[in-house]
Amino acid sequence: MIPPPEDPRVREALGLAMKRIAQRDRLSFELSRELEAKGYGEAEVGEVLEFLTSRRLVDDEKTIQSLIERRTGRRAAGKEKIRAELQKLGVPDEKIEPFLSSVGDDDELERMNQALNSRSWSSKDRVRAARFLVSRGFSEDLLDTALDRFFVVE
């Protein structure tokens, strides 16, 4: 395990990073961007991230998986919306794809159903429901299947 940094500037950056982590799980990409925006150098940021990673306070894989799992139920989102959220946080595509490829069509259909169940729909709201699902980043390829299941088309 890496000992705490001795450099006062690195300790200051570590304190800032710890405050961010206390609020919610953070990705190393997020912390790096935030610390650099505050004027910390690449070496200082690297030392902070190395320390936090060694203590398992920052775990990108766990955080990405957690974000994907949180996007179920009332706040269900499709792969495209999740991809956009992760990209906005600074996660490179090569880190995102393995996680999203593990979400199969059945999982996506289940999330679509959860999203539809989070609202009240009449039988005439099929088009509105389709727009709603697309706005949540769900696959247009699965749209008809999900709507047929939800609105019970025989």
Side-chain angles (χ1 to χ4, degrees):
M1 199 175 295
I2 297 172
E6 294 183 17
D7 181 340
R9 183 124 167 98
V10 175
R11 287 177 87 73
E12 182 182 302
L14 178 60
L16 180 61
M18 293 295 285
K19 285 180 185 176
R20 296 291 187 263
I21 292 170
Q23 296 167 346
R24 68 170 173 80
D25 285 342
R26 300 283 175 158
L27 296 159
S28 60
F29 316 105
E30 271 184 288
L31 289 172
S32 175
R33 190 174 52 213
E34 288 177 21
L35 292 173
E36 286 172 0
K38 294 280 186 185
Y40 295 101
E42 197 173 306
E44 295 162 329
V45 171
E47 196 173 335
V48 167
L49 292 177
E50 187 177 354
F51 176 78
L52 293 173
T53 303
S54 75
R55 300 285 170 113
R56 296 187 188 143
L57 296 171
V58 172
D59 184 343
D60 289 342
E61 290 185 6
K62 183 186 86 168
T63 303
I64 291 169
Q65 189 63 42
S66 173
L67 189 140
I68 291 171
E69 289 170 1
R70 277 196 316 257
R71 298 303 269 152
T72 60
R74 290 184 55 81
R75 299 191 36 82
K79 289 181 185 181
E80 293 309 311
K81 183 122 182 173
I82 293 170
R83 177 180 284 111
E85 288 176 7
L86 290 170
Q87 287 171 335
K88 185 177 178 184
L89 294 173
V91 181
D93 288 338
E94 60 271 7
K95 290 265 191 182
I96 297 171
E97 285 313 312
F99 289 98
L100 291 183
S101 65
S102 70
V103 177
D105 286 352
D106 289 340
D107 295 330
E108 187 87 341
L109 285 167
E110 177 59 30
R111 288 173 192 242
M112 292 170 108
N113 191 51
Q114 290 173 348
L116 288 169
N117 280 318
S118 72
R119 299 227 174 146
S120 296
W121 305 99
S122 74
S123 59
K124 299 174 186 173
D125 288 335
R126 186 178 170 96
V127 172
R128 216 174 101 229
R131 283 193 309 263
F132 169 72
L133 290 174
V134 170
S135 76
R136 289 275 185 107
F138 288 105
S139 168
E140 291 183 32
D141 297 339
L142 299 173
L143 204 55
D144 284 333
T145 305
L147 292 171
D148 288 348
R149 286 182 184 177
F150 186 79
F151 288 104
V152 191
V153 172
E154 297 176 18

